[in-house]
Coordinates of all heavy atoms in Angstrom, one line a residue:
M12 N 4.4 -0.6 -1.9 CA 4.1 0.8 -2.1 C 2.9 1.1 -1.2 O 2.0 0.3 -1.1 CB 3.8 1.0 -3.6 CG 3.2 2.3 -4.0 SD 3.5 2.6 -5.7 CE 4.2 4.2 -5.6
T13 N 2.9 2.3 -0.6 CA 1.8 2.8 0.2 C 1.3 4.1 -0.3 O 2.1 4.9 -0.8 CB 2.1 2.9 1.7 OG1 3.1 3.9 1.9 CG2 2.6 1.6 2.3
V14 N 0.0 4.3 -0.3 CA -0.6 5.6 -0.6 C -1.5 6.0 0.6 O -2.0 5.1 1.3 CB -1.4 5.6 -1.9 CG1 -0.5 5.3 -3.1 CG2 -2.5 4.7 -1.8
T15 N -1.6 7.3 0.8 CA -2.5 7.8 1.9 C -3.6 8.6 1.2 O -3.3 9.5 0.4 CB -1.7 8.6 2.9 OG1 -0.6 7.9 3.5 CG2 -2.6 9.1 4.0
V16 N -4.8 8.3 1.6 CA -6.0 9.1 1.0 C -6.5 10.0 2.1 O -6.8 9.5 3.2 CB -7.1 8.1 0.6 CG1 -8.3 8.8 0.0 CG2 -6.5 7.1 -0.4
R17 N -6.7 11.2 1.8 CA -7.2 12.2 2.7 C -8.3 13.0 2.0 O -8.3 13.2 0.8 CB -6.2 13.2 3.1 CG -5.0 12.6 3.9 CD -4.1 13.7 4.4 NE -2.8 13.1 4.9 CZ -2.7 12.6 6.1 NH1 -3.7 12.6 6.9 NH2 -1.5 12.1 6.4
D18 N -9.3 13.4 2.7 CA -10.4 14.2 2.2 C -10.0 15.7 2.1 O -8.8 16.0 2.4 CB -11.7 14.0 2.9 CG -11.7 14.6 4.3 OD1 -10.7 15.3 4.7 OD2 -12.6 14.2 5.1
A19 N -10.9 16.6 1.6 CA -10.5 18.0 1.4 C -10.1 18.6 2.7 O -9.4 19.6 2.7 CB -11.7 18.7 0.7
A20 N -10.6 18.1 3.8 CA -10.3 18.7 5.1 C -9.0 18.1 5.7 O -8.6 18.4 6.9 CB -11.4 18.5 6.1
G21 N -8.4 17.1 5.0 CA -7.2 16.5 5.5 C -7.4 15.3 6.4 O -6.4 14.8 6.9
Q22 N -8.6 14.9 6.5 CA -8.9 13.7 7.3 C -8.7 12.4 6.5 O -9.0 12.4 5.3 CB -10.3 13.7 7.8 CG -10.7 14.9 8.7 CD -9.8 14.9 9.9 OE1 -9.7 14.0 10.6 NE2 -9.1 16.1 10.1
P23 N -8.1 11.4 7.1 CA -7.8 10.1 6.4 C -9.2 9.5 6.0 O -10.1 9.5 6.7 CB -7.1 9.3 7.4 CG -7.3 9.9 8.7 CD -7.6 11.4 8.5
V24 N -9.1 8.9 4.8 CA -10.3 8.2 4.3 C -10.0 6.7 4.2 O -9.1 6.2 3.5 CB -10.6 8.7 2.9 CG1 -11.8 7.9 2.2 CG2 -11.0 10.2 2.9
D25 N -10.8 5.9 5.0 CA -10.7 4.5 5.0 C -11.9 3.9 4.2 O -12.8 4.6 3.8 CB -10.7 3.9 6.4 CG -9.4 4.2 7.1 OD1 -8.3 4.0 6.5 OD2 -9.4 4.7 8.3
A26 N -11.8 2.6 3.9 CA -12.9 1.9 3.3 C -13.1 2.3 1.8 O -14.1 2.1 1.2 CB -14.3 2.1 4.0
A27 N -12.0 2.8 1.2 CA -12.0 3.0 -0.3 C -11.6 1.6 -0.9 O -11.0 0.8 -0.2 CB -11.0 4.0 -0.7
T28 N -12.0 1.4 -2.1 CA -11.6 0.2 -2.9 C -10.6 0.7 -4.0 O -11.0 1.4 -4.9 CB -12.8 -0.4 -3.6 OG1 -13.7 -0.7 -2.5 CG2 -12.4 -1.7 -4.3
L29 N -9.3 0.4 -3.8 CA -8.3 1.0 -4.6 C -7.4 -0.1 -5.2 O -7.2 -1.1 -4.7 CB -7.4 1.9 -3.8 CG -8.1 3.1 -3.1 CD1 -7.1 3.9 -2.3 CD2 -8.8 4.0 -4.1
E30 N -6.9 0.3 -6.4 CA -5.9 -0.5 -7.1 C -4.7 0.4 -7.4 O -4.9 1.6 -7.6 CB -6.3 -1.1 -8.4 CG -7.3 -2.2 -8.3 CD -7.7 -2.7 -9.7 OE1 -7.5 -2.0 -10.7 OE2 -8.2 -3.8 -9.8
I31 N -3.5 -0.1 -7.3 CA -2.4 0.6 -7.8 C -1.9 0.0 -9.1 O -1.8 -1.2 -9.3 CB -1.2 0.5 -6.8 CG1 -1.7 1.2 -5.5 CG2 0.0 1.2 -7.3 CD1 -0.7 1.3 -4.4
Q32 N -1.8 0.9 -10.1 CA -1.5 0.4 -11.5 C -0.1 1.1 -11.8 O 0.0 2.3 -11.7 CB -2.5 0.9 -12.5 CG -3.9 0.4 -12.3 CD -4.8 0.7 -13.4 OE1 -4.3 1.1 -14.5 NE2 -6.1 0.6 -13.2
A33 N 0.8 0.3 -12.4 CA 2.0 0.8 -12.9 C 2.1 0.5 -14.4 O 1.8 -0.6 -14.8 CB 3.2 0.1 -12.2
L34 N 2.4 1.6 -15.1 CA 2.3 1.5 -16.6 C 3.6 2.0 -17.2 O 4.2 3.0 -16.7 CB 1.2 2.4 -17.1 CG -0.2 2.1 -16.5 CD1 -0.8 3.4 -16.0 CD2 -1.1 1.5 -17.5
M35 N 4.0 1.4 -18.3 CA 5.1 2.0 -19.1 C 4.5 2.7 -20.3 O 3.4 2.4 -20.7 CB 6.1 0.9 -19.5 CG 6.8 0.3 -18.3 SD 8.2 -0.8 -18.8 CE 9.6 0.4 -18.7
A36 N 5.3 3.6 -20.9 CA 4.8 4.4 -22.0 C 4.8 3.7 -23.3 O 4.2 4.2 -24.2 CB 5.6 5.7 -22.0
H37 N 5.5 2.6 -23.4 CA 5.7 2.1 -24.8 C 4.6 1.1 -25.1 O 4.0 0.4 -24.2 CB 7.1 1.5 -25.1 CG 7.5 0.4 -24.1 ND1 7.2 -0.9 -24.4 CD2 8.1 0.4 -22.9 CE1 7.7 -1.7 -23.4 NE2 8.2 -0.9 -22.5
P38 N 4.2 0.9 -26.4 CA 3.1 0.1 -26.8 C 3.3 -1.4 -26.5 O 4.5 -1.9 -26.5 CB 2.9 0.3 -28.3 CG 3.9 1.3 -28.7 CD 4.8 1.6 -27.5
G39 N 2.3 -2.1 -26.2 CA 2.3 -3.6 -26.1 C 2.8 -4.0 -24.7 O 3.1 -5.2 -24.5
M40 N 2.9 -3.1 -23.8 CA 3.5 -3.4 -22.5 C 2.3 -3.5 -21.5 O 1.5 -2.6 -21.3 CB 4.4 -2.2 -22.0 CG 5.0 -2.4 -20.7 SD 6.5 -3.5 -20.8 CE 6.6 -3.9 -19.1
A41 N 2.2 -4.7 -20.9 CA 1.1 -4.9 -20.0 C 1.3 -4.2 -18.7 O 2.4 -4.1 -18.1 CB 0.9 -6.4 -19.6
P42 N 0.3 -3.5 -18.1 CA 0.4 -2.9 -16.8 C 0.5 -3.9 -15.7 O 0.1 -5.0 -15.8 CB -0.9 -2.0 -16.7 CG -1.9 -2.8 -17.5 CD -1.1 -3.4 -18.7
V43 N 1.1 -3.4 -14.6 CA 1.1 -4.2 -13.4 C 0.0 -3.6 -12.5 O 0.0 -2.4 -12.2 CB 2.5 -4.1 -12.7 CG1 2.5 -4.7 -11.3 CG2 3.6 -4.7 -13.5
I44 N -1.0 -4.4 -12.1 CA -2.1 -3.9 -11.4 C -2.3 -4.8 -10.1 O -2.3 -6.0 -10.2 CB -3.4 -4.0 -12.2 CG1 -3.2 -3.2 -13.5 CG2 -4.6 -3.5 -11.4 CD1 -4.4 -3.4 -14.5
E45 N -2.3 -4.1 -9.0 CA -2.5 -4.9 -7.7 C -3.5 -4.1 -6.9 O -3.5 -2.9 -6.8 CB -1.2 -4.9 -6.9 CG -0.1 -5.7 -7.6 CD -0.4 -7.2 -7.5 OE1 -1.2 -7.6 -6.7 OE2 0.2 -7.9 -8.3
P46 N -4.4 -4.9 -6.2 CA -5.3 -4.3 -5.2 C -4.5 -3.7 -4.1 O -3.5 -4.3 -3.7 CB -6.2 -5.4 -4.8 CG -5.5 -6.7 -5.2 CD -4.6 -6.4 -6.3
A47 N -5.0 -2.6 -3.6 CA -4.3 -2.0 -2.4 C -5.1 -2.3 -1.2 O -6.4 -2.1 -1.1 CB -4.2 -0.5 -2.6
Q48 N -4.5 -2.8 -0.1 CA -5.2 -3.2 1.1 C -5.2 -2.1 2.1 O -4.1 -1.6 2.4 CB -4.5 -4.5 1.7 CG -4.3 -5.6 0.7 CD -5.6 -6.3 0.3 OE1 -6.6 -6.2 0.9 NE2 -5.6 -6.8 -0.9
G49 N -6.3 -1.8 2.7 CA -6.4 -0.8 3.7 C -5.7 -1.2 4.9 O -5.8 -2.3 5.4
Q50 N -4.9 -0.2 5.5 CA -4.1 -0.5 6.7 C -4.6 0.3 7.9 O -4.1 0.3 8.9 CB -2.6 -0.1 6.5 CG -2.0 -0.6 5.2 CD -1.8 -2.1 5.2 OE1 -1.1 -2.6 6.1 NE2 -2.5 -2.8 4.3
G51 N -5.7 1.1 7.6 CA -6.2 2.1 8.6 C -5.5 3.4 8.5 O -4.5 3.6 7.8
H52 N -6.1 4.4 9.1 CA -5.6 5.8 9.1 C -5.4 6.3 7.6 O -4.5 7.1 7.4 CB -4.3 5.9 9.8 CG -4.4 5.4 11.3 ND1 -5.1 6.1 12.2 CD2 -4.0 4.3 11.8 CE1 -5.0 5.4 13.3 NE2 -4.4 4.3 13.1
G53 N -6.2 5.8 6.7 CA -6.2 6.3 5.3 C -5.0 5.7 4.5 O -4.9 6.1 3.3
V54 N -4.3 4.8 5.0 CA -3.2 4.2 4.3 C -3.6 2.9 3.6 O -4.3 2.1 4.2 CB -2.0 3.9 5.3 CG1 -0.8 3.2 4.6 CG2 -1.5 5.2 6.0
Y55 N -3.1 2.8 2.4 CA -3.4 1.6 1.6 C -2.1 1.1 1.1 O -1.2 1.9 0.7 CB -4.3 1.9 0.4 CG -5.7 2.4 0.9 CD1 -5.8 3.7 1.3 CD2 -6.7 1.5 0.9 CE1 -7.1 4.2 1.8 CE2 -8.0 2.0 1.4 CZ -8.1 3.3 1.8 OH -9.3 3.7 2.3
A56 N -1.9 -0.2 1.0 CA -0.6 -0.8 0.6 C -0.8 -1.9 -0.4 O -1.8 -2.6 -0.4 CB 0.1 -1.4 1.9
A57 N 0.1 -1.9 -1.4 CA 0.2 -3.0 -2.4 C 1.6 -3.4 -2.6 O 2.5 -2.5 -2.5 CB -0.5 -2.5 -3.7
H58 N 1.8 -4.6 -3.0 CA 3.1 -5.1 -3.3 C 3.2 -5.2 -4.8 O 2.5 -6.0 -5.5 CB 3.4 -6.5 -2.7 CG 4.8 -7.0 -2.9 ND1 5.0 -8.3 -3.2 CD2 6.0 -6.4 -2.8 CE1 6.3 -8.4 -3.4 NE2 6.9 -7.3 -3.1
L59 N 4.1 -4.4 -5.5 CA 4.2 -4.4 -6.9 C 5.5 -5.1 -7.3 O 6.5 -4.8 -6.7 CB 4.3 -2.9 -7.4 CG 3.1 -2.0 -7.1 CD1 3.3 -0.7 -7.8 CD2 1.8 -2.7 -7.6
Q60 N 5.3 -5.9 -8.4 CA 6.5 -6.5 -8.9 C 6.7 -6.0 -10.3 O 5.9 -6.4 -11.2 CB 6.4 -8.0 -8.9 CG 7.7 -8.7 -9.3 CD 7.8 -10.1 -8.8 OE1 6.8 -10.7 -8.2 NE2 8.9 -10.7 -8.9
F61 N 7.7 -5.2 -10.6 CA 7.9 -4.6 -11.9 C 8.4 -5.6 -12.8 O 9.3 -6.4 -12.4 CB 8.8 -3.4 -11.8 CG 8.1 -2.3 -11.0 CD1 8.5 -2.1 -9.7 CD2 7.2 -1.4 -11.6 CE1 7.9 -1.0 -8.9 CE2 6.6 -0.4 -10.9 CZ 6.9 -0.2 -9.5
T62 N 7.9 -5.6 -14.0 CA 8.2 -6.7 -15.0 C 9.4 -6.3 -15.9 O 9.8 -7.2 -16.7 CB 7.0 -7.1 -15.8 OG1 6.4 -5.9 -16.3 CG2 6.0 -7.8 -14.9
M63 N 9.9 -5.1 -15.9 CA 11.1 -4.8 -16.6 C 11.6 -3.5 -16.0 O 10.9 -2.7 -15.3 CB 10.9 -4.6 -18.1 CG 10.0 -3.5 -18.5 SD 9.8 -3.4 -20.4 CE 11.4 -2.7 -20.8
A64 N 12.9 -3.3 -16.2 CA 13.6 -2.0 -15.8 C 13.1 -0.9 -16.7 O 12.7 -1.1 -17.9 CB 15.1 -2.2 -15.8
G65 N 13.1 0.3 -16.2 CA 12.8 1.5 -17.0 C 11.9 2.4 -16.3 O 11.7 2.3 -15.1
D66 N 11.2 3.3 -17.0 CA 10.4 4.3 -16.5 C 8.9 3.9 -16.3 O 8.3 3.4 -17.3 CB 10.4 5.6 -17.3 CG 11.7 6.3 -17.2 OD1 12.5 6.1 -16.2 OD2 12.1 7.1 -18.2
W67 N 8.4 4.0 -15.2 CA 7.0 3.6 -14.9 C 6.2 4.8 -14.3 O 6.8 5.5 -13.4 CB 7.0 2.4 -13.8 CG 7.6 1.2 -14.3 CD1 8.9 0.8 -14.3 CD2 6.8 0.0 -14.8 NE1 9.0 -0.5 -14.8 CE2 7.7 -1.0 -15.1 CE3 5.4 -0.2 -15.0 CZ2 7.3 -2.2 -15.6 CZ3 5.1 -1.5 -15.5 CH2 6.0 -2.4 -15.8
D68 N 5.0 4.9 -14.7 CA 4.1 5.8 -14.1 C 3.2 5.0 -13.2 O 2.7 3.9 -13.6 CB 3.2 6.5 -15.1 CG 3.9 7.7 -15.8 OD1 4.6 8.4 -15.0 OD2 3.8 7.8 -17.0
V69 N 3.0 5.5 -12.0 CA 2.1 4.8 -11.0 C 0.9 5.6 -10.8 O 0.9 6.8 -10.5 CB 2.9 4.6 -9.7 CG1 2.0 3.9 -8.6 CG2 4.2 3.8 -9.9
L70 N -0.3 4.9 -11.0 CA -1.6 5.5 -10.8 C -2.3 4.8 -9.7 O -2.1 3.6 -9.4 CB -2.5 5.4 -12.1 CG -1.9 5.8 -13.4 CD1 -2.9 5.5 -14.5 CD2 -1.6 7.3 -13.4
V71 N -3.2 5.6 -9.0 CA -4.1 5.0 -8.0 C -5.5 5.1 -8.6 O -5.9 6.2 -9.1 CB -4.0 5.7 -6.7 CG1 -5.1 5.2 -5.7 CG2 -2.6 5.7 -6.1
T72 N -6.2 4.0 -8.7 CA -7.5 4.0 -9.3 C -8.5 3.3 -8.3 O -8.1 2.5 -7.5 CB -7.6 3.3 -10.6 OG1 -7.3 1.9 -10.5 CG2 -6.6 3.9 -11.6
G73 N -9.8 3.6 -8.5 CA -10.8 2.9 -7.7 C -11.9 3.8 -7.3 O -12.2 4.8 -8.0
R74 N -12.5 3.5 -6.1 CA -13.7 4.2 -5.7 C -13.5 4.6 -4.2 O -13.1 3.7 -3.4 CB -15.0 3.4 -5.8 CG -15.5 3.4 -7.2 CD -16.9 2.7 -7.3 NE -17.3 2.5 -8.7 CZ -17.8 3.5 -9.5 NH1 -18.1 4.7 -9.0 NH2 -18.1 3.2 -10.7
L75 N -14.0 5.8 -3.9 CA -14.1 6.2 -2.5 C -15.3 5.6 -1.8 O -16.2 5.1 -2.5 CB -14.1 7.7 -2.4 CG -12.8 8.4 -3.0 CD1 -13.0 9.9 -3.0 CD2 -11.6 8.0 -2.2
P76 N -15.4 5.6 -0.5 CA -16.6 5.1 0.2 C -17.9 5.7 -0.3 O -18.9 5.1 -0.2 CB -16.3 5.3 1.7 CG -14.8 5.5 1.8 CD -14.4 6.1 0.5
D77 N -17.8 7.0 -0.7 CA -19.1 7.7 -1.1 C -19.4 7.4 -2.6 O -20.3 8.0 -3.1 CB -19.0 9.2 -0.9 CG -17.9 9.9 -1.7 OD1 -17.3 9.2 -2.6 OD2 -17.6 11.0 -1.4
G78 N -18.6 6.5 -3.2 CA -18.9 6.1 -4.6 C -18.1 6.9 -5.7 O -18.2 6.5 -6.8
R79 N -17.5 8.0 -5.3 CA -16.7 8.7 -6.3 C -15.6 7.9 -6.8 O -14.9 7.2 -6.0 CB -16.2 10.1 -5.7 CG -17.3 11.1 -5.6 CD -16.7 12.4 -5.1 NE -16.3 12.3 -3.7 CZ -15.5 13.1 -3.1 NH1 -15.1 14.2 -3.7 NH2 -15.2 12.9 -1.8
R80 N -15.3 8.1 -8.1 CA -14.2 7.4 -8.7 C -12.9 8.2 -8.5 O -12.8 9.4 -8.4 CB -14.4 7.2 -10.2 CG -15.6 6.4 -10.5 CD -15.8 6.2 -12.0 NE -14.6 5.5 -12.5 CZ -14.7 4.2 -13.0 NH1 -15.9 3.6 -13.0 NH2 -13.7 3.6 -13.5
V81 N -11.8 7.4 -8.4 CA -10.5 7.9 -8.2 C -9.6 7.5 -9.4 O -9.7 6.3 -9.8 CB -9.8 7.4 -6.9 CG1 -8.4 7.9 -6.8 CG2 -10.6 7.8 -5.7
R82 N -8.9 8.4 -10.0 CA -7.8 8.0 -10.9 C -6.8 9.2 -10.8 O -7.0 10.3 -11.3 CB -8.4 7.9 -12.3 CG -7.3 7.5 -13.3 CD -7.8 7.3 -14.7 NE -6.7 7.0 -15.6 CZ -6.2 5.7 -15.9 NH1 -6.8 4.7 -15.2 NH2 -5.3 5.6 -16.7
Q83 N -5.7 8.9 -10.1 CA -4.7 9.9 -9.9 C -3.3 9.4 -10.0 O -3.0 8.3 -9.5 CB -4.9 10.5 -8.5 CG -4.0 11.6 -8.2 CD -4.4 12.4 -6.9 OE1 -5.6 12.4 -6.6 NE2 -3.5 13.0 -6.3
R84 N -2.5 10.2 -10.7 CA -1.1 9.8 -10.9 C -0.5 10.0 -9.5 O -0.7 11.0 -8.8 CB -0.5 10.7 -11.9 CG 0.9 10.4 -12.3 CD 1.3 11.1 -13.5 NE 2.6 10.7 -14.0 CZ 3.7 11.5 -13.9 NH1 3.6 12.7 -13.5 NH2 4.9 11.0 -14.3
A85 N 0.3 9.0 -9.1 CA 0.9 9.0 -7.7 C 2.4 9.1 -7.8 O 3.0 9.7 -6.8 CB 0.5 7.8 -7.0
A86 N 3.0 8.7 -8.8 CA 4.5 8.7 -8.8 C 5.0 8.4 -10.2 O 4.3 7.8 -11.0 CB 5.0 7.6 -7.8
H87 N 6.2 8.8 -10.4 CA 7.0 8.3 -11.6 C 8.3 7.7 -11.1 O 9.0 8.3 -10.3 CB 7.3 9.5 -12.5 CG 8.0 9.1 -13.8 ND1 7.4 8.6 -14.9 CD2 9.4 9.0 -14.0 CE1 8.3 8.3 -15.8 NE2 9.5 8.5 -15.3
L88 N 8.5 6.5 -11.5 CA 9.6 5.7 -11.0 C 10.6 5.3 -12.1 O 10.2 5.0 -13.2 CB 9.1 4.4 -10.3 CG 8.2 4.6 -9.1 CD1 7.7 3.3 -8.6 CD2 8.8 5.4 -8.0
S89 N 11.9 5.4 -11.8 CA 12.9 4.8 -12.7 C 13.4 3.6 -12.0 O 14.0 3.6 -11.0 CB 14.0 5.9 -12.9 OG 14.9 5.4 -13.8
V90 N 13.0 2.4 -12.6 CA 13.2 1.1 -12.0 C 14.5 0.5 -12.6 O 14.7 0.5 -13.8 CB 12.0 0.2 -12.2 CG1 12.3 -1.2 -11.7 CG2 10.8 0.8 -11.5
H91 N 15.4 0.1 -11.7 CA 16.6 -0.6 -12.2 C 16.6 -2.0 -11.7 O 16.1 -2.3 -10.6 CB 17.8 0.1 -11.6 CG 17.9 1.6 -12.0 ND1 18.6 2.0 -13.1 CD2 17.4 2.7 -11.4 CE1 18.4 3.3 -13.2 NE2 17.7 3.8 -12.1
A92 N 17.2 -2.9 -12.5 CA 17.3 -4.3 -12.1 C 18.3 -4.4 -11.0 O 19.3 -3.7 -10.9 CB 17.8 -5.1 -13.3
A93 N 18.0 -5.3 -10.1 CA 18.9 -5.6 -9.0 C 20.1 -6.4 -9.5 O 20.0 -7.2 -10.4 CB 18.2 -6.4 -7.9
D94 N 21.3 -6.2 -8.9 CA 22.5 -6.9 -9.3 C 22.4 -8.4 -8.8 O 21.9 -8.6 -7.7 CB 23.8 -6.3 -8.7 CG 24.0 -4.9 -9.4 OD1 23.7 -4.8 -10.6 OD2 24.6 -4.0 -8.7
Ligands
LIG116 CU1 8.4 -1.9 -20.8

């Protein structure tokens, strides 16, 4: 999964420290959390391995280079098991 971070002027933001978290809505379900590696040009990438089929909310969390915290919903996915 990749996310792109831009500032208010639309310029890419590098050097953030980000994690991608995938969560399911039901109780007792551990989130999948992976650090996102900067690729340059504001792009960050993480490899997520979903632990069950179903509906997942994907959040981006962490800190921007200026110290501000990030917590933003990035996607809602319906995950199906491969045949
Ligand atoms: Cu689940």
